[in-house]
């Protein structure tokens, strides 16, 4: 375990070289898996907006099938942002610290711009937009910019900062500012999900960025594990994942810190379990991050050294995340507009699927058609390394 406390440059000298493909296969497989899961949640976001889910979900009111579908999708953002930090560390093993910092800065700015343009338009289909949602792509962009500065600190310091943010940001929950306060907008961007007007446009801060900066810092700090032998790494990942899930269960049972309290539902064990698992995502609570990142770490251990056709396809998906992300948003937008044209707005002012089963059916029918253009784009990225702009996708 001593190598885990070495400075960034010392780790590079002290650890044996590991083939990049061997290091990245499990990362890309897990990234691909959460992207496939993300598709399910975005089918719900596009074709099932008539179902209110809330944050956290109300276990007494939400249908169990919808609750667990939404809970499954909770893995996506924490896993992807943590893997972004881990990938940044691996990138730094073949590039100087200055080059890594510059890449993080420029790609972060690119992602923020993308959220305000192509991504935002896919969600609203309005131009000029009346409302801007600062969602996960915005958050990843801000996190990469923050990490561009953090990587100049010792890795142990980065880990300590990440841990302090993730474990302690819920202490800030009681702080709030009135809309006329000069701190209202910055606080909405950093920690308190809210909405405000900016140049005649409504801005909704769906993903306040502070806790996500902690997540990307912890992902970065875990980087040296991926220079160690596979069996050793698998043991560490398994131990960490189990420890995080046990910590979640303990803190949730104590019911004193880390999220809104849960209450049993008398005479209904299933809804009591749902209440236990109903966690806050916007911004992500400590308990939300312990549970989701614990599962993500176990998935990294599970995919370590694993092969087979399913894993190979997930690796392909994980190799072109932004291509898949943009593609699936516009495919879903096209499906929605097509459904409105054919069936009209059958749920008030929107079109909506009739059941959770129908949502799952549409989701399953989309996976294969979306895989092939994603594979084409991943192959293009590998073939055309001379096109430097492709690495931003």
């Amino acid at each position: 375990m001593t190598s885990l406390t070495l400075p960034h440059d010392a780790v590079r000298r002290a650890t044996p070289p590991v083939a990049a493909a061997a290091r990245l296969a499990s990362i890309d497989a897990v990234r691909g898996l959460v992207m496939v899961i993300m598709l399910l949640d975005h089918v719900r976001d596009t074709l099932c907006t008539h179902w209110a889910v809330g944050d956290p979900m109300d276990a007494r009111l939400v249908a169990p099938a919808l609750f667990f579908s939404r809970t499954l999708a909770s893995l996506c953002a924490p896993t992807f942002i943590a893997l972004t930090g881990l990938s940044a560390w691996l990138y730094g093993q073949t590039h100087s610290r200055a080059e890594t910092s510059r890449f993080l800065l420029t790609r972060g700015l690119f992602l923020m711009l993308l959220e305000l343009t192509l991504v935002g338009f896919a969600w609203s289909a309005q131009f000029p937009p009346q409302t801007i949602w600062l969602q996960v792509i915005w958050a990843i962009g801000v996190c990469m910019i923050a990490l561009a500065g953090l990587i100049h600190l010792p890795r142990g310091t980065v880990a300590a900062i990440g841990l302090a943010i993730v474990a302690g940001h819920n202490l800030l929950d009681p702080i709030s500012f009135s809309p006329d306060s000069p701190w209202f907008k910055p606080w909405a961007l950093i920690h308190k999900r809210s909405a405000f007007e900016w140049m005649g446009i409504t801005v909704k801060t769906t993903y306040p960025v502070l806790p996500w900066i902690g997540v990307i810092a912890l992902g970065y700090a875990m980087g040296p594990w991926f220079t160690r032998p596979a069996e050793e790494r698998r043991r560490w990942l398994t131990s960490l994942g189990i420890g995080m899930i046990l910590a979640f269960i303990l803190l949730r049972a104590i019911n004193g810190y880390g999220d809104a309290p849960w209450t049993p539902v008398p005479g209904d064990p299933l809804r009591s379990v749902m209440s236990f698992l109903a966690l806050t995502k916007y911004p992500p609570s400590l308990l939300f991050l312990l549970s989701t990142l614990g599962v993500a770490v176990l998935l990294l251990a599970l995919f370590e050294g694993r092969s087979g056709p399913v894993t190979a396809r997930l690796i392909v998906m994980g190799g072109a995340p932004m291509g898949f992300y943009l593609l699936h948003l516009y495919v879903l937008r096209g499906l929605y507009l097509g459904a409105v044209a054919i069936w009209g707005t059958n749920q008030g002012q929107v079109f909506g699927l009739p059941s959770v089963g129908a949502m799952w059916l549409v989701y399953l029918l989309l996976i294969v058609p979306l895989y092939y253009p994603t594979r084409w784009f991943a192959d293009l990225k590998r073939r055309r390394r001379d096109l430097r702009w492709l690495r931003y996708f």
Side-chain angles (χ1 to χ4, degrees):
M1 296 290 285
T2 54
S3 67
L4 299 181
T5 60
L6 291 173
H8 178 92
D9 293 331
V11 171
R12 191 184 306 186
R13 295 192 300 270
T15 53
V18 180
R23 280 204 310 252
L24 293 173
S26 62
I27 297 171
D28 278 346
V30 174
R31 184 184 287 121
L33 176 61
V34 297
M35 286 165 57
V36 171
I37 294 172
M38 175 189 66
L39 174 61
L40 172 64
D41 201 44
H42 288 175
V43 170
R44 180 194 62 80
D45 264 339
T46 305
L47 299 173
C48 307
T49 55
H50 56 293
W51 298 334
V53 290
D55 181 57
M57 290 181 282
D58 190 332
R60 299 165 300 173
L61 302 177
V62 177
L66 178 60
F67 178 92
F68 288 106
S69 296
R70 175 67 171 153
T71 299
L72 175 65
S74 297
L75 287 172
C76 300
T79 303
F80 206 90
I81 292 177
L83 292 183
T84 299
L86 175 54
S87 297
W89 191 90
L90 293 171
Y91 184 89
Q93 302 315 291
T94 54
H95 297 79
S96 71
R97 192 168 301 186
E99 290 171 329
T100 303
S101 183
R102 185 164 54 250
F103 175 67
L104 288 168
L105 175 62
T106 55
R107 189 163 192 261
L109 290 170
F110 172 75
L111 292 180
M112 293 170 70
L113 177 63
L114 207 60
E115 182 73 76
L116 298 176
T117 53
L118 287 177
V119 174
F121 182 71
W123 283 115
S124 67
Q126 291 180 325
F127 189 83
Q130 303 301 309
T131 302
I132 294 175
W133 287 269
L134 301 181
Q135 300 193 86
V136 66
I137 302 301
W138 170 273
I140 295 174
V142 175
C143 288
M144 294 184 83
I145 292 171
L147 189 60
L150 288 173
I151 66 171
H152 295 280
L153 301 173
R155 194 183 62 83
T157 303
V158 177
I161 291 172
L163 185 61
I165 292 174
V166 168
H169 79 92
N170 283 123
L171 295 172
L172 304 175
D173 291 348
I175 299 175
S176 62
F177 298 96
S178 62
D180 58 348
S181 167
W183 294 101
F184 180 79
K185 292 177 182 178
W187 195 236
L189 291 167
I190 293 169
H191 193 263
K192 195 80 169 181
R193 182 187 188 188
S194 191
F196 55 83
E197 296 296 316
W198 178 73
M199 298 179 63
I201 298 173
T202 300
V203 178
K204 294 188 176 182
T205 59
T206 309
Y207 276 72
V209 297
L210 178 61
W212 298 115
I213 292 171
V215 172
I216 201 171
L218 291 177
Y220 178 86
M222 194 172 65
W225 289 24
F226 283 76
T227 64
R228 307 302 299 169
E231 279 301 319
E232 184 177 20
R233 180 165 62 248
R234 186 183 293 111
R235 288 197 304 270
W236 290 354
L237 290 170
T238 302
S239 298
L240 176 61
I242 292 173
M244 292 176 75
I245 291 172
L246 290 176
F248 158 71
I249 294 172
L250 177 62
L251 284 174
R252 194 58 165 158
I254 294 172
N255 219 13
Y257 177 73
D259 210 313
W262 72 283
T263 55
V265 180
D268 197 331
L270 176 60
R271 290 194 178 272
S272 293
V273 171
M274 290 166 58
S275 179
F276 192 86
L277 297 176
L279 303 169
T280 304
K281 181 180 180 180
Y282 306 111
S285 67
L286 167 61
L287 293 178
F288 180 91
L289 293 174
L290 277 176
S291 58
T292 53
L293 291 176
V295 172
V297 170
L298 290 177
L299 287 172
L300 281 171
L302 175 67
F303 280 103
E304 188 67 55
R306 186 173 291 272
S307 60
V310 174
T311 300
R313 285 164 174 78
L314 291 176
I315 290 170
V316 169
M317 298 286 280
M322 187 52 67
F324 174 83
Y325 190 85
L326 291 173
L327 173 65
H328 94 282
L329 287 184
Y330 280 91
V331 167
L332 288 173
R333 173 55 56 184
L335 285 177
Y336 178 81
L337 295 176
V340 170
I342 296 170
W343 293 291
T345 53
N346 62 346
Q347 301 288 342
Q349 296 183 339
V350 300
F351 170 83
L353 294 173
S355 66
V356 176
M359 178 185 76
W360 272 86
L361 178 61
V362 171
Y363 161 66
L364 293 173
L365 289 174
L366 284 173
I367 293 174
V368 173
L370 288 172
Y371 168 77
Y372 288 102
T374 304
R375 184 180 69 177
W376 172 84
F377 189 70
D379 289 341
L380 177 67
K381 288 178 66 178
R382 283 192 292 270
R383 290 196 318 270
R384 298 302 308 272
R385 295 189 182 276
D386 57 309
L387 300 177
R388 294 177 63 85
W389 61 270
L390 283 175
R391 65 180 182 165
Y392 287 90
F393 290 88

